[in-house]
Amino acid sequence: MSWIERCYEVYDKNSRFIGDMDSGNTPLVPVAHTTQQVHIEVRINGNGEFRGARVLGPEEITTIIPCTEESSARTSGAVPHPLVDKLQYLAGDYKLFGGEKESCWKPYIEGLKAWCKSSYGTPEIKAVLAYLVKGVLIADLVNERILFTDEKNQLTKKWEGDKDETPSIFKSVKGKDGPFESFVKFIVDGRDISKDHKLWESFIAYSSTRGKAKGYCYASGKETELTTLSPYKIRHAGDRAKLISSNDSTNFTYRGRFLHPKEAVGIGFEVNQKAHSALRWLIAKQGKFVSGAAFLAWGTKNEKIPRVLGDSFEVLQQWDNGIFDESIGDDEEKTSDTKEVFAKAFNKALAGYRTELTPTAQISVIVLDAAVPGRMGIRYYKELSGFRLMENLENWHHTYNWQMSYRKIKGKNKSGKDDIRITFIGAPSPEDIAKAAYGELVDDKLKQQTVERIMPCIIDGKLLPGDILRAAVNRAVHSIGLERWEANKTQQIACALIRGYYEKRYKEVFSMAVDESIKDRSYVFGRILACAEQVERYAQNLASHGAEDAGSKRPTNAERLMFAYALHPVNTLTVLQEKLRPYIDRIKTNTGSDPQRYVEMLRLISELGVQNYTNDKLGDKFLLGYASQKIQFIEDSKNSKRDESAING
């Protein structure tokens, strides 16, 4: 029941947002209300006389409507909403115009009459009743050219005319029954009653008099009106899955332990309504979806919480979306310096989040998914203090990190260029880790399961599962079949995982810069391969006179042979050195000396010594040595260009 308690708290502590449609299409709704996509607006006067109608635009259709326990959970049967509903419920002439489903007009009218006759009836709903009892809703909408009929005076389900002249209702309502599925709301004497707070309060008060059974609520600990029906539309407006259900008395819902649902658990009507409304609101506002599953972290006071499933770039962007506006300027090459800007800004953002999350803040993390359309399960749930969350989150981003260059921002430089690449030092997102381990087109279920398995590493500070690490490293080493951008991204993420894994499990700390003190054979062999790659790349650039043509972008022999090199380093290095010979000769012809990177490569081979210069398979550190050496070469090249620019004025 913890999630219900926490969501119930959220509702009460954020009551100022109830009915606020400006914050998005999923507002915090009043008790005994829900949201519905409404397509048609009908105008009437206080006497229930028709005054016009129109089709609502896409930005207007989300509407707060009254609902009963039964209608909020309806799946089939004649269970009308109290006020706003489909033509099947509202139109007395539904069958007359060709409606194929059961007409639910009579039970709808009976329910609306009961509300109107109670002490909570208002002039507005009485006007709606006075209009609808005439049974001419569809006829009026046809006369108003909102709906259309064929030669047999039956409603047209599909527009058969000129596509450019398609009426709005056919664009608004989808499905095989077309306009028959339209929901209708009412404007009475110029007032949109769906936004009338007094009408909300009227129905809340009326619904509380309908004689629900009382009992002990497990969530609030109070004697109150109980419910056995729970709303759906939890993850999104079309979601039919419920978190709590007790309507299956013939199969295994009670597992043979109880005779009646109320024996299993008791949930108060008000608590249930508020908790589900808050959960919907939170998911829409700050949840993340991975392959249909909803991942959500929240605090009861609407605190600003870092994106638990985001990479370091997303965490910073959430805090300061314009951080790179001033740092890039006109020159795209300046983006290489953004990692320093990023580091300062990221630490500042984390400090800001810490300020938001006071020592008493309680954070909840939940994962929701539905194995079947009607039932939803909680795959993961955790409660922890704001302090603990930030401690574990900072640890994740500072431990499993590497220099990343796969992120882009749009339209930030003064020359108006889009898609500028950003280099930052940080942790990858769990979703990107799943793609690095199993491919960009990873199966949805596998991606979801991988993200779920990584969550405890972020939330609880647990060690990354070894099989995920191995899968990412294997793809990074065997990346010749990937496009260059994907290969680079996969290698960067794999390095982040290796670095974090070894620090947490073995207390070995690796820097991104080349560490000359590391004599581990795998690490050194990785540096050697980077040297071989750089020699060939330099020769390619000489041949193309520095132009960025296809030749300078083609894979080097070092990249092609990386997987074989990781399995049999000495044998593969012998082959690689033979393939490097023409490139070395080309460089000597142009410069008059052996390439500097080749000299470095020979030095590293010599430092390995006879004991380490073996054909044994290389370990994970091979990739760290390779990547660190490449980063060092890039930095050396940039420094050389800056020095040359300074000399030439």
Side-chain angles (χ1 to χ4, degrees):
M1 286 297 163
S2 293
W3 70 270
I4 293 184
E5 294 175 60
R6 297 289 85 79
C7 289
Y8 179 63
E9 286 181 54
V10 168
Y11 190 98
D12 283 345
K13 291 179 179 178
N14 294 276
S15 57
R16 65 188 182 280
F17 294 111
I18 294 174
D20 179 12
M21 299 295 291
D22 295 332
S23 58
N25 287 330
T26 306
L28 199 60
V29 298
V31 172
H33 287 71
T34 187
T35 56
Q36 180 61 53
Q37 306 295 299
V38 175
H39 312 98
I40 299 172
E41 176 184 274
V42 170
R43 299 188 302 277
I44 60 175
N45 63 18
N47 296 321
E49 297 170 338
F50 183 80
R51 288 291 178 263
R54 71 182 181 97
V55 177
L56 296 173
E59 70 286 348
E60 304 175 280
I61 61 175
T62 301
T63 305
I64 296 174
I65 69 169
C67 66
T68 64
E69 272 189 283
E70 295 78 15
S71 71
S72 69
R74 77 183 184 192
T75 53
S76 61
V79 187
H81 290 308
L83 183 61
V84 175
D85 217 319
K86 293 192 288 187
L87 293 176
Q88 178 187 1
Y89 290 87
L90 271 58
D93 50 357
Y94 172 77
K95 285 291 187 180
L96 184 64
F97 281 89
E100 296 175 355
K101 296 180 181 179
E102 176 190 0
S103 173
C104 302
W105 179 67
K106 287 183 178 179
Y108 170 84
I109 292 296
E110 288 172 6
L112 188 56
K113 280 182 178 178
W115 183 7
C116 290
K117 290 178 180 178
S118 74
S119 58
Y120 304 103
T122 67
E124 291 80 13
I125 62 168
K126 291 176 181 177
V128 172
L129 176 63
Y131 170 66
L132 291 179
V133 292
K134 300 173 186 176
V136 294
L137 175 58
I138 293 180
D140 284 341
L141 293 175
V142 170
N143 290 334
E144 196 74 6
R145 296 193 61 76
I146 299 296
L147 303 179
F148 298 84
T149 57
D150 58 20
E151 64 278 1
K152 296 180 180 179
N153 203 36
Q154 304 292 284
L155 274 193
T156 304
K157 294 182 180 181
K158 185 178 180 181
W159 180 250
E160 301 293 346
D162 191 328
K163 186 176 180 180
D164 294 335
E165 297 177 1
T166 304
S168 299
I169 191 64
F170 293 99
K171 299 176 183 177
S172 181
V173 185
K174 307 297 181 183
K176 65 177 182 178
D177 288 329
F180 277 112
E181 295 298 305
S182 302
F183 274 77
V184 180
K185 72 173 185 176
F186 298 92
I187 304 293
V188 181
D189 284 337
R191 292 174 54 237
D192 186 347
I193 60 176
S194 68
K195 299 177 181 179
D196 189 342
H197 288 233
K198 290 183 179 179
L199 191 69
W200 296 349
E201 293 166 5
S202 163
F203 185 73
I204 293 170
Y206 170 64
S207 67
S208 68
T209 65
R210 301 185 69 198
K212 300 179 183 69
K214 289 195 173 184
Y216 179 77
C217 174
Y218 282 40
S220 66
K222 298 177 181 177
E223 187 83 11
T224 184
E225 295 175 333
L226 299 182
T227 181
T228 57
L229 297 171
S230 288
Y232 43 69
K233 299 182 183 178
I234 296 171
R235 292 173 295 178
H236 49 78
D239 188 11
R240 307 292 290 185
K242 301 175 187 177
L243 267 171
I244 304 171
S245 178
S246 62
N247 64 353
D248 183 7
S249 59
T250 59
N251 291 309
F252 300 100
T253 301
Y254 315 129
R255 296 292 178 186
R257 299 180 183 181
F258 308 105
L259 292 175
H260 306 287
K262 62 184 179 181
E263 295 176 2
V265 67
I267 305 173
F269 170 75
E270 182 181 344
V271 170
N272 194 40
Q273 290 276 314
K274 289 183 175 181
H276 278 81
S277 178
L279 187 58
R280 286 191 210 101
W281 180 63
L282 289 166
I283 289 174
K285 189 164 67 77
Q286 60 201 56
K288 181 178 179 63
F289 289 90
V290 178
S291 304
F295 293 74
L296 172 68
W298 79 92
T300 57
K301 298 179 181 178
N302 201 27
E303 300 95 335
K304 195 168 187 177
I305 299 172
R307 288 175 182 161
V308 174
L309 295 186
D311 60 18
S312 300
F313 185 85
E314 287 180 275
V315 170
L316 174 56
Q317 236 187 359
Q318 182 189 5
W319 185 263
D320 185 356
N321 194 34
I323 184 62
F324 292 119
D325 286 358
E326 301 298 326
S327 63
I328 292 179
D330 285 329
D331 188 357
E332 190 167 340
E333 289 187 3
K334 289 183 180 179
T335 57
S336 62
D337 297 327
T338 55
K339 58 181 180 290
E340 285 79 15
V341 176
F342 178 89
K344 294 177 183 177
F346 183 73
N347 290 331
K348 184 178 178 181
L350 289 181
Y353 285 120
R354 278 191 175 277
T355 302
E356 284 267 328
L357 297 174
T358 61
T360 59
Q362 287 296 313
I363 308 302
S364 301
V365 184
I366 196 170
V367 180
L368 304 172
D369 191 28
V372 294
R375 300 288 184 271
M376 186 182 298
I378 297 175
R379 302 282 301 242
Y380 176 91
Y381 184 72
K382 179 80 174 182
E383 289 185 7
L384 67 168
S385 68
F387 172 81
R388 182 62 63 193
L389 174 68
M390 287 307 304
E391 184 178 57
N392 292 339
L393 202 61
E394 286 183 45
N395 183 266
W396 166 264
H397 284 276
H398 287 143
T399 304
Y400 290 90
N401 68 359
W402 195 258
Q403 181 169 302
M404 307 292 183
S405 59
Y406 55 83
R407 275 289 192 174
K408 294 180 180 180
I409 57 175
K410 293 190 176 183
K412 294 293 185 180
N413 65 351
K414 295 177 183 177
S415 60
K417 291 182 180 179
D418 288 343
D419 297 334
I420 302 171
R421 193 174 298 280
I422 293 296
T423 300
F424 69 96
I425 294 174
S429 71
E431 196 169 355
D432 279 330
I433 292 173
K435 291 177 181 179
Y438 307 111
E440 287 289 320
L441 300 178
V442 56
D443 175 77
D444 282 348
K445 284 298 177 186
L446 178 57
K447 179 167 66 174
Q448 178 190 320
Q449 290 165 6
T450 304
V451 172
E452 283 183 28
R453 294 178 65 202
I454 294 171
M455 275 193 69
C457 307
I458 303 172
I459 304 296
D460 303 324
K462 293 185 177 179
L463 182 67
L464 183 79
D467 61 300
I468 296 176
L469 172 68
R470 286 190 295 274
V473 171
N474 184 60
R475 286 194 77 250
V477 173
H478 204 180
S479 60
I480 187 58
L482 306 178
E483 292 187 38
R484 180 174 291 272
W485 68 268
E486 187 179 355
N488 289 337
K489 177 182 177 182
T490 301
Q491 288 176 4
Q492 291 164 5
I493 291 174
C495 286
L497 301 185
I498 296 168
R499 190 181 185 209
Y501 187 86
Y502 274 80
E503 181 173 337
K504 287 190 74 69
R505 181 165 185 177
Y506 302 112
K507 309 304 178 186
E508 293 184 51
V509 180
F510 293 92
S511 67
M512 277 166 282
V514 170
D515 190 341
E516 295 287 352
S517 67
I518 298 178
K519 303 303 180 184
D520 178 271
R521 65 180 291 273
S522 296
Y523 186 88
V524 176
F525 264 116
R527 292 182 61 192
I528 291 169
L529 186 66
C531 291
E533 180 182 326
Q534 183 65 17
V535 169
E536 185 171 343
R537 187 70 68 198
Y538 180 51
Q540 288 176 355
N541 287 335
L542 284 177
S544 60
H545 306 289
E548 287 291 329
D549 64 358
S552 65
K553 292 181 179 179
R554 73 174 185 267
T556 63
N557 286 299
E559 291 171 307
R560 290 192 184 98
L561 295 172
M562 181 184 288
F563 186 66
Y565 184 85
L567 292 176
H568 311 290
V570 172
N571 288 352
T572 310
L573 184 57
T574 302
V575 174
L576 194 56
Q577 285 180 299
E578 189 64 32
K579 290 182 176 293
L580 278 179
R581 180 51 51 193
Y583 296 107
I584 295 170
D585 292 342
R586 181 187 299 170
I587 295 171
K588 287 182 71 173
T589 300
N590 280 270
T591 64
S593 61
D594 284 331
Q596 182 182 352
R597 306 311 182 198
Y598 182 62
V599 174
E600 176 74 3
M601 174 180 163
L602 295 177
R603 180 185 71 81
L604 291 170
I605 292 173
S606 175
E607 285 187 0
L608 272 173
V610 177
Q611 184 178 358
N612 289 324
Y613 194 71
T614 67
N615 216 30
D616 295 340
K617 181 181 177 181
L618 300 177
D620 299 335
K621 297 175 188 177
F622 150 72
L623 201 59
L624 290 183
Y626 170 76
S628 293
Q629 189 66 67
K630 286 183 68 173
I631 291 173
Q632 184 64 55
F633 288 154
I634 293 170
E635 293 299 319
D636 289 346
S637 176
K638 288 175 182 175
N639 291 334
S640 176
K641 287 180 180 179
R642 290 193 191 101
D643 293 342
E644 184 179 342
S645 176
I647 292 171
N648 295 331

